[in-house]
Amino acid sequence: MVRMLAVAALAGTAVFAGPAASADGETPLFTIKDSRITESSGLAVSPTHKNVYYTHNDSGAEPTFFAVGSNGRTRAKFTLQGAVARDWEAMAASKDPATGAGVLWFGDIGDNFDGAWPDISVYRVAEPTAMQDAALPAVRYRFRYEDGGHNAESIMVHPRTGRLYVVSKQFAGAVYAAPKRLRTDRVNVLRKVGSAPMMATDAAYAPDGSSFVIRTYFSATVYRTPGKQLARVSMPPLEQAESITYTADGKALLTGTEGAASPVYRVPLPAEVLRETAPRPAPTPTPTKKTGPALVAETRAAGDGDAGVPTLAVAAWLAAAAAATGVITLIARRTR
């Protein structure tokens, strides 16, 4: 794990475009009170339980995670069966696009030597239905990057497609997309789809999939899509900023830090981000003027109602047109 002080001296070399928005005061939304949570490295809002937040410890811990209430107190501790916590650095929460059930993802993706491990792992587990301690079955997916090993502390899942992304933690970081269909019988390849800010520590998709955010030690950047930046968001001062996610309504960000009794802050999204990501009204079809056969076909489809031309009138018009055409043809022949 690279500490904040190790990169603070290089902060001046990072270049970020776009406006910045201030944090929502200095009062935490809540403070984690469980003495077992000393290195909160991942953060996610439950997709199915109201006022439930998930977190997990950093490397060197068991393959466990915690459900925390809005008062900061732990509601349950869960263990992933058969999983290994080599260097857990991130988590994400989503809903299964097919069933709507909650899904949790845990990234064993830390690699401080940028290639020390032949592959990395992400675990997928069904979200618990009850807030009580339990052991949960998990599915393990193994990954490798298409361009060699990288250190990473960020994963995110698109809420509409269910596609997984990993963001590398480097001075020239990148966003990598997993295959649309993940395989458990072989190593999946992560392919680069965009750049990322320097030393990314976490990332998350908005609940509606309209944007995503990438956190660094110093700020957060919101993107419409990889490479298309919307705004940079200032963050509250934290000892070691490690986590970020969206609120359930998608109007603000939640960010946390490592350490005992670590706070979680709520930071409203800038107005320009909310405006840019707001649902667009469906365009109103422009009526087109129809003539000839198209008009006749539409009139026939309309029947004898008040809004259309009566069928008998259409038939009379067609008969008159045919008769006129015959007369014109006869006259043309006689005048040759």
Side-chain angles (χ1 to χ4, degrees), residues 28-302:
L29 181 66
F30 62 86
T31 298
I32 297 175
K33 296 177 172 61
D34 195 325
S35 60
R36 297 171 296 179
I37 306 174
T38 58
E39 287 189 296
S40 176
S41 187
L43 182 66
V45 175
S46 168
T48 62
H49 299 289
K50 186 177 181 180
N51 295 326
V52 170
Y53 309 88
Y54 296 112
T55 189
H56 63 84
N57 281 315
D58 204 334
S59 59
E62 298 176 345
T64 59
F65 67 97
F66 300 84
V68 179
S70 56
N71 59 359
R73 298 189 180 278
T74 296
R75 297 186 57 179
K77 175 186 176 183
F78 302 97
T79 302
L80 271 61
Q81 295 175 337
V84 176
R86 184 176 62 190
D87 194 356
W88 279 24
E89 290 287 0
M91 73 169 297
S94 65
K95 284 186 178 181
D96 187 310
T99 66
V103 179
L104 303 180
W105 306 76
F106 298 90
D108 195 354
I109 57 176
D111 187 349
N112 292 326
F113 297 98
D114 291 329
W117 309 112
D119 55 61
I120 58 175
S121 298
V122 175
Y123 295 93
R124 183 183 189 273
V125 61
E127 184 182 16
T129 56
M131 292 294 105
Q132 56 187 26
D133 293 6
L136 307 173
V139 178
R140 179 194 181 194
Y141 299 105
R142 294 182 300 145
F143 298 91
R144 65 174 176 83
Y145 300 92
E146 64 175 348
D147 54 356
H150 301 288
N151 186 29
E153 294 189 3
S154 314
I155 63 172
M156 57 185 182
V157 177
H158 196 291
R160 291 200 297 266
T161 65
R163 193 163 191 172
L164 174 73
Y165 295 83
V166 178
V167 183
S168 64
K169 181 184 180 183
Q170 296 170 306
F171 292 111
V175 179
Y176 292 84
K180 292 181 180 179
R181 179 173 174 267
L182 299 179
R183 301 281 296 268
T184 58
D185 59 341
R186 67 186 185 193
V187 177
N188 300 273
V189 178
L190 295 166
R191 304 193 183 280
K192 184 177 178 179
V193 294
S195 60
M198 180 184 74
M199 305 304 286
T201 60
D202 203 6
Y205 258 104
D208 62 356
S210 62
S211 62
F212 66 87
V213 63
I214 298 179
R215 179 77 157 102
T216 70
Y217 286 123
F218 315 105
S219 64
T221 307
V222 180
Y223 297 83
R224 164 75 78 175
T225 57
K228 185 177 180 181
Q229 179 176 315
L230 293 179
R232 183 166 58 89
V233 186
S234 297
M235 293 282 110
L238 295 171
E239 180 180 350
Q240 185 171 332
E242 285 282 341
S243 59
I244 200 163
T245 192
Y246 282 78
T247 54
D249 61 7
K251 295 181 179 180
L253 302 171
L254 300 179
T255 186
T257 180
E258 289 191 354
S262 57
V264 173
Y265 288 85
R266 180 185 184 277
V267 182
L269 284 167
E272 63 267 26
V273 172
L274 297 177
R275 184 169 56 251
E276 285 292 326
T277 58
R280 298 287 195 273
T284 303
T286 303
T288 56
K289 185 177 181 180
K290 297 181 176 64
T291 58
L295 177 60
V296 172
E298 185 176 279
T299 304
R300 285 176 175 173

Side-chain angles (χ1 to χ4, degrees), residues 11-33:
T13 64
V15 178
F16 299 99
S22 298
D24 188 19
E26 298 298 326
T27 303
L29 181 66
F30 62 86
T31 298
I32 297 175
K33 296 177 172 61

